[in-house]
Amino acid sequence: MIELEGVPELIDPVMVAAFEGWNDAGDAASTAVAHLDREWKGEVFAALDAEDYYDFQVNRPTVFMDAGVRKITWPTTRLSVVRVGGEKPRDLVLVRGIEPSMRWRSFCNELLGFAHELGVELVVILGALLGDTPHTRPVPVSGVTSDPDLAQRMDLEETKYEGPTGIVGVLQEACTHAGVPAVSLWAAVPHYVSQPPNPKATLALLNRLEDLLDLRIPQGELPEDARAWQVGVDQLAAEDSEVAEYVQTLEEARDTAELPEASGEAIAREFERYLRRRDVGPPGGKQRPPAAGGGGKEDDEDGSED
């Protein structure tokens, strides 16, 4: 059961969700939602009953000391609200937890009932998967939806995937059947360096979310962490000739595949994103006012691509 405590009336709310587990390569997606919660100082106000959805032999509770008293934290899914200020303030309902062990349909229905009660207008689910992508290139981030109209309106792909799925795919389809607009953003994590954390993939997801929702997300130390991560992987690859050769092969394949995309329209689109993230209008245009809560983007290659 979800219990609502002290939830204010929300402004244009969007639900942003991520789940640890199968859909979270390198912990990139769950770390992205944790970053939003931390930077905007969200406070947990609701949680799902852990016994309804989790096998505690798979996801074990943890014991900790609080002022000399032993307490237990149960693995579950928790919710918080953050308000993004600026000229057009809006609220984000952040959902962060672990992929449930059982009763997925009930799990999704409970979240959707909660979204309906709060007047959520859009659900964005973050995920990360392992892929044949080199760590030296920008992280590929794809945005998909099951809604053809939403795909056209928000410049997304209409999903055609068939095969095994996780809670991200199940929740997106539950949203579709319930008539709630839903989008999934997927970051591709290099399969040869899949262990968490992966701040470069986390940053790419946040950049794509920023574009999708037209808001400014404070990046904190993520750009620096992403650069340090890449330097570390560069050093590891340089120490193994086979890995270095494999990375070069991936780079060549990636660069070749992207050549047809290097059109004037694609370049202009990326340039507009570059300007938007720095609060600079297009040539001849007006400067964008800064949104509350965020500093400017760092000039690096850690951004996302469609």
Side-chain angles (χ1 to χ4, degrees):
M1 172 181 290
I2 291 182
E3 297 182 359
L4 307 182
E5 297 181 359
V7 182
E9 183 175 350
L10 303 184
I11 302 173
D12 299 330
V14 172
M15 177 177 282
V16 181
F19 304 93
E20 300 173 18
W22 198 61
N23 297 137
D24 193 23
D27 290 354
S30 58
T31 303
V33 173
H35 177 86
L36 296 175
D37 192 73
R38 181 174 59 254
E39 292 294 325
W40 279 318
K41 298 178 174 57
E43 294 186 4
V44 174
F45 66 90
L48 277 68
D49 189 336
E51 291 197 1
D52 287 344
Y53 304 111
Y54 294 97
D55 180 347
F56 299 140
Q57 291 182 325
V58 176
N59 297 290
R60 292 187 177 273
T62 57
V63 178
F64 67 99
M65 300 297 294
D66 182 11
V69 179
R70 288 170 61 85
K71 295 185 178 180
I72 294 178
T73 298
W74 296 94
T76 188
T77 295
R78 295 178 172 83
L79 303 99
S80 59
V81 170
V82 298
R83 176 151 295 174
V84 183
E87 290 189 349
K88 294 182 178 180
R90 77 180 316 166
D91 294 308
L92 300 183
V93 180
L94 304 180
V95 179
R96 182 162 63 107
I98 305 168
E99 184 176 68
S101 306
M102 61 195 80
R103 303 180 66 225
W104 284 21
R105 286 176 291 185
S106 297
F107 179 88
C108 293
N109 288 338
E110 195 162 359
L111 284 179
L112 284 172
F114 174 79
H116 176 73
E117 186 169 346
L118 291 181
V120 167
E121 301 176 348
L122 175 69
V123 174
V124 182
I125 316 165
L126 307 183
L129 48 81
L130 299 179
D132 293 327
T133 181
H135 72 279
T136 54
R137 296 294 187 266
V139 176
V141 176
S142 58
V144 298
T145 180
S146 299
D147 185 334
D149 295 333
L150 193 63
Q152 183 175 9
R153 187 168 70 252
M154 304 189 78
D155 191 23
L156 303 166
E157 300 176 28
E158 187 177 353
T159 180
K160 303 296 183 182
Y161 172 76
E162 296 179 322
T165 190
I167 193 61
V168 171
V170 172
L171 180 57
Q172 177 162 338
E173 288 309 299
C175 289
T176 300
H177 291 303
V180 179
V183 174
S184 296
L185 300 181
W186 289 95
V189 172
H191 67 85
Y192 58 89
V193 57
S194 59
Q195 65 272 22
N198 189 320
K200 185 172 181 177
T202 294
L203 183 59
L205 279 170
L206 292 174
N207 286 343
R208 187 67 175 88
L209 180 66
E210 191 177 60
D211 290 339
L212 183 75
L213 301 182
D214 191 24
L215 50 78
R216 284 283 305 279
I217 296 175
Q219 294 188 342
E221 298 179 355
L222 269 178
E224 181 179 347
D225 292 343
R227 284 191 290 269
W229 176 88
Q230 180 159 326
V231 169
V233 179
D234 285 343
Q235 293 173 346
L236 291 174
E239 296 171 359
D240 189 319
S241 59
E242 292 186 0
V243 173
E245 183 178 352
Y246 179 64
V247 171
Q248 184 178 359
T249 300
L250 291 178
E251 290 173 340
E252 292 172 353
R254 172 77 174 273
D255 295 343
T256 300
E258 288 181 344
L259 282 176
E261 300 298 326
S263 63
E265 182 179 350
I267 293 172
R269 184 167 59 248
E270 289 303 315
F271 183 59
E272 288 177 358
R273 287 179 177 173
Y274 172 90
L275 296 178
R276 184 163 61 248
R277 288 177 180 154
R278 287 157 179 78
D279 288 331
V280 179
K286 296 182 179 180
Q287 183 171 343
R288 288 169 52 93
K297 298 275 183 181
E298 297 291 333
D299 190 7
D300 56 60
E301 62 174 8
D302 300 323
S304 65
E305 62 179 24
D306 293 335

